[in-house]
Amino acid sequence: MNNKKLLLSLLTVGMTLGTAWAIRGQFGHEHGAAWAGSIGSIAILLIANRKDWFAKAFQIIISGAMGWGIGGVMSYGMVVGYGRDTEFVNVYYGLISLFVIGGLYGFIGGGLFGLSLSNSSKNPVSWPRLLVEMVVGAILFYFFIIQQYEWLMTPPRDESWAGVLGMAAALAWFMFRTKQYSALRVALFAGLGGGFGFAFGNFLQVLGHVSEIKFNFWNVMEYSLGFFGGMGMAYGTFTSHWEDSTETQYSKQWFPMLMLVLIIPITMWQQNFRMDRLEKTITPLLTASDQAIELSVRWDSLLLILFAGIYWLNVHAKSKSLDYSDIKKFFIGHFGLYMLLSILITGAFLSTYRIEQYLYILNFAIIIYLLSRAEEVVFENQSLSWNTYAKNFGIVLAFIAVLAYIAASSHDEIKGSHKRFGEEIPLETPKP
């Protein structure tokens, strides 16, 4: 029975972060990834249904959001192109590079989420120290890997992955040194899931292109990253030991709330709902150019964000406690707004040309149903077995090699493919 509960819980979180990450494809960068990460974090809190976690819910959610959002600085357009090549060595390199990038998304997202779960007055996390160490790690890794050794992954694109790798290394050392083994376990499984999901998603994208089915298979790749990354983060959470805390009294959490409902959404709006972009997406759907519709989309979207943000701040300013129903209402509203903004910016309210936008709504309905069916999960106390993890890691790398062979053999030259090996490419680091 517990295995069935666990599988249902993993599926629910996987679909949640998968759908949110697919929506993130319309927005990109750190702000889109952070919003998606916050939605996946809320799903885990709902399934866990722990009063001590509800008491610090928004601190946990913003930790997951910022962790998943950090990876948004990484460029991966070139490595996706390597995965579309016809030679095994280039395809495998591309998929492994995506494994690294997806793994960094998940590792930092799961790690900061896990640390926030274990943070308490009895066992506090030194956040300022961790932040300093991660910044130093980013600088050192980027300096040596890119500037000194010139181990470039995505030339001539930005190589920020090296800085994110340094952050992940500093985070891992911090968790190991402070004996935050449960948080480390969440980070490792979220990283393994995110890495596999990104590589597998690129494989699906290639096969989708070969099939000539008219669908947004890039979005399939994004969904895959979120789905497996979410499952990994949920598995690490539900199979780790977390001390029961007596701190169930809700305290006001203004900064996390401001970040979640205003700062991140407004940043996303400012970066995406520009008139030049709306002209490209909405104008082609109109029989005649009508700037009034584009202006309406631009400013109505901002009003939606402001209305939702002020509403949530007002509600939780008056709250003296948080329970399951409070978090679920926030989940539905926060997720629903993200989905609605995606429909607005793509013009899917004018045309059905973006069928995946309606699949988000279907996924959303299924997720709400699964949450109503998911019983409170029974946590399993499994220790971190390095041998088992190394074995699973090796199996994933071998499986990715099989995927690379199939993908390379499935097609001739296709649009958007790149070669990392076999032809000369510029190796200079791009100027900032």
Coordinates of all heavy atoms in Angstrom, one line a residue, residues 4-80:
K4 N 2.2 2.0 -3.4 CA 1.2 2.7 -4.3 C 1.0 4.2 -3.9 O 0.9 5.0 -4.8 CB -0.2 2.0 -4.1 CG -0.2 0.6 -4.7 CD -1.6 -0.1 -4.5 CE -1.6 -1.5 -5.1 NZ -3.0 -2.1 -5.0
K5 N 1.0 4.5 -2.6 CA 1.0 5.9 -2.2 C 2.2 6.6 -2.7 O 2.0 7.8 -3.2 CB 1.0 6.0 -0.7 CG -0.3 5.5 0.0 CD -0.2 5.7 1.5 CE -1.4 5.3 2.2 NZ -1.3 5.5 3.7
L6 N 3.3 6.0 -2.6 CA 4.6 6.7 -3.1 C 4.5 6.9 -4.6 O 4.9 8.0 -5.1 CB 5.8 5.9 -2.7 CG 7.2 6.4 -3.1 CD1 7.4 7.8 -2.5 CD2 8.3 5.5 -2.7
L7 N 4.1 5.9 -5.4 CA 4.1 6.1 -6.8 C 3.1 7.1 -7.2 O 3.4 7.9 -8.1 CB 3.7 4.7 -7.5 CG 4.8 3.6 -7.5 CD1 4.2 2.3 -8.0 CD2 6.0 4.1 -8.3
L8 N 1.9 7.2 -6.6 CA 0.9 8.2 -6.9 C 1.5 9.6 -6.5 O 1.3 10.6 -7.3 CB -0.4 7.9 -6.1 CG -1.5 8.9 -6.4 CD1 -1.9 8.9 -7.8 CD2 -2.7 8.6 -5.5
S9 N 2.2 9.7 -5.4 CA 2.8 10.9 -5.0 C 3.8 11.4 -6.0 O 3.9 12.6 -6.4 CB 3.4 10.8 -3.6 OG 2.4 10.5 -2.7
L10 N 4.7 10.5 -6.5 CA 5.7 10.8 -7.4 C 5.1 11.3 -8.7 O 5.6 12.2 -9.4 CB 6.7 9.6 -7.7 CG 7.4 9.1 -6.5 CD1 8.4 8.0 -6.9 CD2 8.2 10.2 -5.8
L11 N 4.1 10.6 -9.2 CA 3.4 10.9 -10.4 C 2.8 12.3 -10.3 O 2.9 13.1 -11.3 CB 2.3 9.9 -10.8 CG 1.4 10.2 -12.0 CD1 2.3 10.2 -13.2 CD2 0.3 9.2 -12.1
T12 N 2.2 12.6 -9.2 CA 1.5 13.9 -9.0 C 2.5 15.1 -9.1 O 2.4 16.1 -9.8 CB 0.8 14.0 -7.7 OG1 -0.1 12.9 -7.6 CG2 0.0 15.3 -7.5
V13 N 3.6 14.9 -8.3 CA 4.7 16.0 -8.3 C 5.4 16.0 -9.7 O 5.6 17.1 -10.2 CB 5.7 15.7 -7.2 CG1 6.8 16.8 -7.3 CG2 5.1 15.7 -5.9
G14 N 5.6 14.9 -10.3 CA 6.2 14.9 -11.6 C 5.4 15.6 -12.7 O 5.9 16.4 -13.4
M15 N 4.1 15.3 -12.7 CA 3.2 16.1 -13.6 C 3.1 17.5 -13.3 O 3.0 18.4 -14.2 CB 1.8 15.4 -13.6 CG 1.7 14.1 -14.2 SD -0.1 13.5 -14.4 CE -0.7 14.8 -15.5
T16 N 3.2 17.9 -12.0 CA 3.1 19.3 -11.6 C 4.3 20.1 -12.1 O 4.1 21.1 -12.8 CB 3.0 19.4 -10.1 OG1 1.8 18.7 -9.6 CG2 2.9 20.8 -9.6
L17 N 5.5 19.6 -11.8 CA 6.7 20.3 -12.2 C 6.9 20.2 -13.7 O 7.4 21.1 -14.3 CB 7.9 19.8 -11.4 CG 9.2 20.6 -11.6 CD1 9.0 22.1 -11.4 CD2 10.3 20.1 -10.8
G18 N 6.5 19.1 -14.3 CA 6.6 18.9 -15.7 C 5.7 19.9 -16.4 O 6.2 20.6 -17.4
T19 N 4.5 20.1 -16.0 CA 3.6 21.1 -16.6 C 4.1 22.5 -16.4 O 4.1 23.3 -17.4 CB 2.1 20.9 -16.1 OG1 1.7 19.6 -16.2 CG2 1.2 21.9 -16.8
A20 N 4.5 22.8 -15.2 CA 5.0 24.1 -14.9 C 6.3 24.4 -15.7 O 6.5 25.6 -16.2 CB 5.3 24.3 -13.4
W21 N 7.1 23.4 -15.9 CA 8.4 23.6 -16.6 C 8.1 23.8 -18.1 O 8.8 24.5 -18.8 CB 9.3 22.5 -16.4 CG 10.8 22.9 -16.6 CD1 11.5 22.8 -17.8 CD2 11.6 23.6 -15.7 NE1 12.7 23.4 -17.6 CE2 12.9 23.8 -16.3 CE3 11.5 24.0 -14.4 CZ2 13.9 24.5 -15.7 CZ3 12.5 24.6 -13.7 CH2 13.7 24.8 -14.4
A22 N 7.1 23.1 -18.6 CA 6.7 23.3 -20.0 C 6.1 24.7 -20.2 O 6.4 25.4 -21.2 CB 5.6 22.3 -20.4
I23 N 5.3 25.2 -19.3 CA 4.8 26.6 -19.3 C 6.0 27.5 -19.3 O 6.0 28.6 -20.0 CB 3.9 26.9 -18.2 CG1 2.6 26.0 -18.3 CG2 3.5 28.3 -18.1 CD1 1.7 26.1 -17.1
R24 N 7.0 27.2 -18.5 CA 8.2 28.0 -18.4 C 8.9 28.3 -19.8 O 9.5 29.3 -20.0 CB 9.2 27.3 -17.5 CG 10.5 28.1 -17.2 CD 11.7 27.5 -17.8 NE 12.9 28.3 -17.6 CZ 14.1 28.0 -18.1 NH1 14.2 26.9 -18.8 NH2 15.1 28.8 -18.0
G25 N 8.6 27.4 -20.7 CA 9.2 27.5 -22.1 C 8.7 28.8 -22.7 O 9.4 29.3 -23.6
Q26 N 7.6 29.4 -22.3 CA 7.1 30.7 -22.9 C 7.9 31.9 -22.3 O 7.8 33.0 -22.8 CB 5.6 30.8 -22.6 CG 4.7 30.2 -23.7 CD 5.0 28.7 -23.8 OE1 5.6 28.2 -24.8 NE2 4.5 27.9 -22.8
F27 N 8.5 31.6 -21.1 CA 9.1 32.8 -20.4 C 10.6 32.7 -20.2 O 11.3 33.7 -20.3 CB 8.4 32.9 -19.0 CG 6.9 33.0 -19.1 CD1 6.1 31.9 -18.6 CD2 6.3 34.1 -19.7 CE1 4.7 32.0 -18.7 CE2 4.9 34.2 -19.8 CZ 4.1 33.1 -19.3
G28 N 11.1 31.5 -20.0 CA 12.5 31.3 -19.9 C 13.2 31.9 -18.7 O 12.6 32.5 -17.9
H29 N 14.5 31.8 -18.8 CA 15.4 32.5 -17.8 C 15.1 32.1 -16.4 O 14.4 31.2 -16.1 CB 15.5 34.0 -18.1 CG 15.8 34.3 -19.5 ND1 17.1 34.0 -20.0 CD2 15.1 34.8 -20.5 CE1 17.1 34.4 -21.3 NE2 15.9 34.9 -21.6
E30 N 15.7 32.9 -15.5 CA 15.6 32.6 -14.1 C 14.2 32.8 -13.5 O 13.8 32.0 -12.7 CB 16.6 33.5 -13.3 CG 18.0 33.4 -13.7 CD 18.4 34.4 -14.8 OE1 17.6 34.7 -15.6 OE2 19.6 34.8 -14.8
H31 N 13.5 33.8 -14.0 CA 12.2 34.1 -13.4 C 11.2 33.0 -13.8 O 10.4 32.6 -12.9 CB 11.7 35.5 -13.9 CG 12.0 35.7 -15.3 ND1 13.1 36.4 -15.8 CD2 11.3 35.4 -16.4 CE1 13.1 36.5 -17.1 NE2 12.0 35.9 -17.5
G32 N 11.2 32.5 -15.0 CA 10.3 31.5 -15.4 C 10.6 30.2 -14.6 O 9.7 29.5 -14.2
A33 N 11.9 29.9 -14.5 CA 12.3 28.6 -13.8 C 11.9 28.7 -12.3 O 11.5 27.7 -11.7 CB 13.8 28.4 -14.0
A34 N 12.1 29.9 -11.7 CA 11.7 30.1 -10.3 C 10.3 29.9 -10.1 O 9.9 29.2 -9.1 CB 12.2 31.5 -9.8
W35 N 9.4 30.4 -11.0 CA 8.0 30.2 -10.8 C 7.6 28.8 -10.9 O 6.8 28.2 -10.1 CB 7.2 31.1 -11.8 CG 5.8 31.3 -11.5 CD1 4.9 30.5 -10.8 CD2 5.0 32.5 -11.8 NE1 3.7 31.1 -10.7 CE2 3.7 32.3 -11.3 CE3 5.3 33.6 -12.6 CZ2 2.7 33.2 -11.5 CZ3 4.3 34.6 -12.7 CH2 3.0 34.4 -12.2
A36 N 8.2 28.1 -11.9 CA 7.9 26.6 -12.1 C 8.4 25.9 -10.8 O 7.7 25.0 -10.3 CB 8.6 26.1 -13.3
G37 N 9.6 26.2 -10.3 CA 10.1 25.5 -9.1 C 9.3 25.7 -7.9 O 9.1 24.8 -7.1
S38 N 8.7 26.9 -7.8 CA 7.8 27.1 -6.6 C 6.5 26.3 -6.7 O 6.1 25.7 -5.7 CB 7.4 28.6 -6.6 OG 6.5 29.0 -7.7
I39 N 6.0 26.0 -7.9 CA 4.8 25.2 -8.1 C 5.1 23.8 -7.7 O 4.3 23.1 -7.0 CB 4.3 25.3 -9.5 CG1 3.7 26.8 -9.7 CG2 3.2 24.3 -9.8 CD1 3.4 27.1 -11.2
G40 N 6.3 23.2 -8.2 CA 6.6 21.9 -7.8 C 6.8 21.7 -6.3 O 6.5 20.7 -5.7
S41 N 7.4 22.7 -5.7 CA 7.7 22.7 -4.2 C 6.4 22.6 -3.4 O 6.2 21.9 -2.4 CB 8.5 23.9 -3.8 OG 9.7 23.9 -4.5
I42 N 5.4 23.4 -3.9 CA 4.1 23.4 -3.2 C 3.4 22.0 -3.3 O 2.8 21.6 -2.3 CB 3.1 24.5 -3.8 CG1 3.7 25.9 -3.7 CG2 1.8 24.5 -3.0 CD1 3.0 26.9 -4.5
A43 N 3.5 21.4 -4.4 CA 2.9 20.1 -4.6 C 3.5 19.1 -3.5 O 2.7 18.3 -3.0 CB 3.1 19.5 -6.0
I44 N 4.8 19.1 -3.3 CA 5.4 18.2 -2.3 C 4.8 18.6 -0.9 O 4.5 17.7 -0.1 CB 6.9 18.3 -2.3 CG1 7.4 17.8 -3.7 CG2 7.5 17.6 -1.2 CD1 8.9 17.9 -3.8
L45 N 4.7 19.8 -0.6 CA 4.2 20.2 0.7 C 2.8 19.7 0.9 O 2.4 19.3 2.0 CB 4.2 21.8 0.9 CG 5.6 22.4 1.0 CD1 5.4 23.9 1.2 CD2 6.4 21.8 2.2
L46 N 1.9 19.8 -0.1 CA 0.6 19.3 0.0 C 0.5 17.9 0.2 O -0.3 17.4 1.1 CB -0.2 19.7 -1.3 CG -0.5 21.2 -1.5 CD1 -1.1 21.4 -2.9 CD2 -1.5 21.6 -0.4
I47 N 1.3 17.1 -0.5 CA 1.3 15.6 -0.3 C 1.9 15.2 1.1 O 1.4 14.3 1.7 CB 2.0 15.0 -1.4 CG1 1.3 15.2 -2.8 CG2 2.2 13.5 -1.2 CD1 2.1 14.8 -4.0
A48 N 2.9 15.9 1.5 CA 3.5 15.6 2.8 C 2.5 16.0 4.0 O 2.4 15.2 4.9 CB 4.8 16.4 3.0
N49 N 1.8 17.1 3.8 CA 0.7 17.5 4.8 C 1.2 17.5 6.2 O 0.6 16.9 7.1 CB -0.5 16.5 4.7 CG -1.7 17.1 5.3 OD1 -1.8 18.3 5.7 ND2 -2.7 16.3 5.5
R50 N 2.4 18.2 6.5 CA 3.0 18.3 7.8 C 2.8 19.7 8.3 O 3.1 20.7 7.7 CB 4.5 18.0 7.7 CG 4.7 16.5 7.5 CD 6.2 16.2 7.5 NE 7.0 16.7 8.6 CZ 8.1 16.2 9.0 NH1 8.6 15.1 8.5 NH2 8.8 16.8 10.0
K51 N 2.2 19.8 9.6 CA 1.9 21.1 10.2 C 3.2 21.9 10.4 O 3.2 23.1 10.2 CB 1.2 20.9 11.5 CG -0.2 20.3 11.3 CD -0.9 20.2 12.7 CE -2.3 19.7 12.5 NZ -3.0 19.6 13.8
D52 N 4.3 21.2 10.7 CA 5.5 22.0 11.0 C 6.1 22.6 9.7 O 6.7 23.6 9.7 CB 6.6 21.1 11.7 CG 6.9 19.8 10.9 OD1 6.0 19.4 10.2 OD2 8.0 19.3 11.1
W53 N 5.8 21.9 8.5 CA 6.2 22.5 7.2 C 5.3 23.6 6.8 O 5.7 24.5 6.2 CB 6.3 21.4 6.2 CG 7.5 20.4 6.4 CD1 8.4 20.5 7.4 CD2 7.9 19.3 5.6 NE1 9.4 19.5 7.3 CE2 9.1 18.8 6.2 CE3 7.4 18.7 4.5 CZ2 9.7 17.6 5.7 CZ3 8.0 17.6 4.0 CH2 9.2 17.1 4.6
F54 N 4.0 23.4 7.1 CA 3.0 24.5 6.7 C 3.4 25.8 7.5 O 3.2 26.9 6.9 CB 1.6 24.0 7.1 CG 1.0 23.0 6.1 CD1 0.0 22.2 6.6 CD2 1.5 22.8 4.9 CE1 -0.5 21.2 5.7 CE2 1.0 21.9 4.0 CZ 0.0 21.1 4.4
A55 N 3.9 25.7 8.7 CA 4.2 26.8 9.5 C 5.3 27.7 8.8 O 5.3 28.9 9.0 CB 4.6 26.4 10.9
K56 N 6.1 27.1 8.0 CA 7.2 27.9 7.3 C 7.1 27.6 5.8 O 8.1 27.6 5.1 CB 8.6 27.4 7.8 CG 8.8 25.9 7.7 CD 10.2 25.5 8.2 CE 10.4 24.0 8.1 NZ 11.8 23.6 8.5
A57 N 5.8 27.5 5.3 CA 5.6 27.0 4.0 C 6.2 28.0 2.9 O 6.8 27.5 2.0 CB 4.1 26.9 3.7
F58 N 6.0 29.3 3.1 CA 6.5 30.2 2.1 C 8.0 30.3 2.1 O 8.6 30.6 1.0 CB 5.8 31.5 2.2 CG 4.4 31.5 2.0 CD1 3.5 31.7 3.0 CD2 3.8 31.2 0.7 CE1 2.1 31.6 2.8 CE2 2.5 31.1 0.5 CZ 1.6 31.3 1.5
Q59 N 8.7 30.1 3.2 CA 10.1 30.0 3.2 C 10.6 28.8 2.4 O 11.6 28.9 1.7 CB 10.6 29.9 4.7 CG 10.3 31.1 5.5 CD 10.6 31.0 7.0 OE1 11.1 29.9 7.4 NE2 10.4 32.0 7.8
I60 N 9.9 27.7 2.6 CA 10.3 26.5 1.8 C 10.0 26.6 0.4 O 10.9 26.3 -0.5 CB 9.4 25.2 2.4 CG1 9.8 25.0 3.8 CG2 9.7 24.0 1.5 CD1 8.9 23.9 4.5
I61 N 8.9 27.2 0.0 CA 8.5 27.4 -1.4 C 9.5 28.3 -2.1 O 10.0 28.0 -3.2 CB 7.1 27.9 -1.5 CG1 6.1 26.9 -1.0 CG2 6.8 28.3 -3.0 CD1 4.7 27.5 -0.8
I62 N 9.9 29.4 -1.5 CA 10.8 30.3 -2.1 C 12.2 29.7 -2.2 O 13.0 30.0 -3.2 CB 10.9 31.7 -1.4 CG1 11.5 32.8 -2.3 CG2 11.6 31.6 -0.1 CD1 10.8 33.1 -3.6
S63 N 12.6 28.9 -1.3 CA 13.9 28.2 -1.4 C 13.9 27.3 -2.6 O 14.9 27.3 -3.4 CB 14.1 27.4 -0.1 OG 14.3 28.2 1.0
G64 N 12.8 26.5 -2.8 CA 12.7 25.7 -4.0 C 12.7 26.5 -5.3 O 13.3 26.2 -6.3
A65 N 12.0 27.6 -5.2 CA 11.9 28.5 -6.4 C 13.3 29.1 -6.8 O 13.7 29.0 -7.9 CB 10.9 29.6 -6.1
M66 N 14.0 29.6 -5.8 CA 15.3 30.2 -6.1 C 16.3 29.1 -6.5 O 17.1 29.4 -7.4 CB 15.8 30.9 -4.9 CG 14.9 32.1 -4.4 SD 14.5 33.3 -5.7 CE 16.1 34.1 -5.9
G67 N 16.2 27.9 -5.9 CA 17.1 26.9 -6.3 C 16.9 26.5 -7.8 O 17.9 26.3 -8.5
W68 N 15.7 26.2 -8.2 CA 15.4 25.9 -9.6 C 15.7 27.1 -10.5 O 16.1 26.9 -11.7 CB 14.0 25.4 -9.7 CG 13.8 24.0 -9.3 CD1 13.4 23.5 -8.0 CD2 14.0 22.8 -10.0 NE1 13.3 22.2 -8.0 CE2 13.7 21.7 -9.2 CE3 14.4 22.5 -11.3 CZ2 13.8 20.3 -9.6 CZ3 14.5 21.2 -11.8 CH2 14.2 20.1 -10.9
G69 N 15.5 28.3 -10.0 CA 15.7 29.4 -10.8 C 17.1 29.7 -11.1 O 17.4 30.3 -12.2
I70 N 18.1 29.4 -10.3 CA 19.5 29.7 -10.5 C 19.9 29.1 -11.8 O 20.7 29.8 -12.6 CB 20.3 29.1 -9.3 CG1 20.2 30.0 -8.1 CG2 21.8 29.0 -9.7 CD1 20.8 29.4 -6.8
G71 N 19.5 27.9 -12.1 CA 20.0 27.3 -13.4 C 19.5 28.0 -14.6 O 20.0 27.7 -15.7
G72 N 18.6 29.0 -14.5 CA 18.0 29.7 -15.6 C 19.1 30.5 -16.4 O 18.8 31.0 -17.5
V73 N 20.3 30.7 -15.7 CA 21.3 31.5 -16.4 C 22.0 30.7 -17.5 O 22.8 31.2 -18.3 CB 22.3 32.0 -15.4 CG1 21.7 32.9 -14.3 CG2 23.1 30.9 -14.7
M74 N 21.8 29.4 -17.5 CA 22.6 28.5 -18.4 C 22.0 28.5 -19.8 O 20.8 28.4 -20.0 CB 22.7 27.1 -17.8 CG 23.4 26.9 -16.5 SD 23.5 25.2 -15.9 CE 21.8 24.9 -15.4
S75 N 22.9 28.5 -20.8 CA 22.6 28.4 -22.2 C 22.6 26.9 -22.6 O 23.6 26.2 -22.3 CB 23.5 29.2 -23.0 OG 23.3 29.0 -24.4
Y76 N 21.6 26.5 -23.3 CA 21.7 25.1 -23.8 C 21.2 24.9 -25.2 O 21.0 23.8 -25.7 CB 20.8 24.2 -22.9 CG 19.4 24.6 -22.6 CD1 18.4 24.4 -23.5 CD2 19.1 25.3 -21.4 CE1 17.1 24.8 -23.3 CE2 17.8 25.7 -21.2 CZ 16.8 25.4 -22.1 OH 15.5 25.8 -21.8
G77 N 21.0 26.0 -26.0 CA 20.6 25.9 -27.4 C 21.5 25.1 -28.2 O 21.1 24.3 -29.1
M78 N 22.9 25.3 -28.0 CA 23.8 24.6 -28.9 C 23.9 23.1 -28.6 O 23.9 22.3 -29.5 CB 25.2 25.2 -28.6 CG 25.4 26.6 -29.2 SD 25.4 26.6 -31.0 CE 26.9 25.7 -31.4
V79 N 23.8 22.7 -27.3 CA 23.9 21.3 -27.0 C 22.6 20.6 -27.4 O 22.7 19.4 -27.7 CB 24.2 21.1 -25.4 CG1 25.6 21.6 -25.1 CG2 23.2 21.8 -24.6
V80 N 21.5 21.3 -27.4 CA 20.3 20.6 -28.0 C 20.6 20.3 -29.5 O 20.2 19.3 -30.0 CB 19.1 21.6 -27.9 CG1 17.9 21.1 -28.7 CG2 18.7 21.6 -26.4

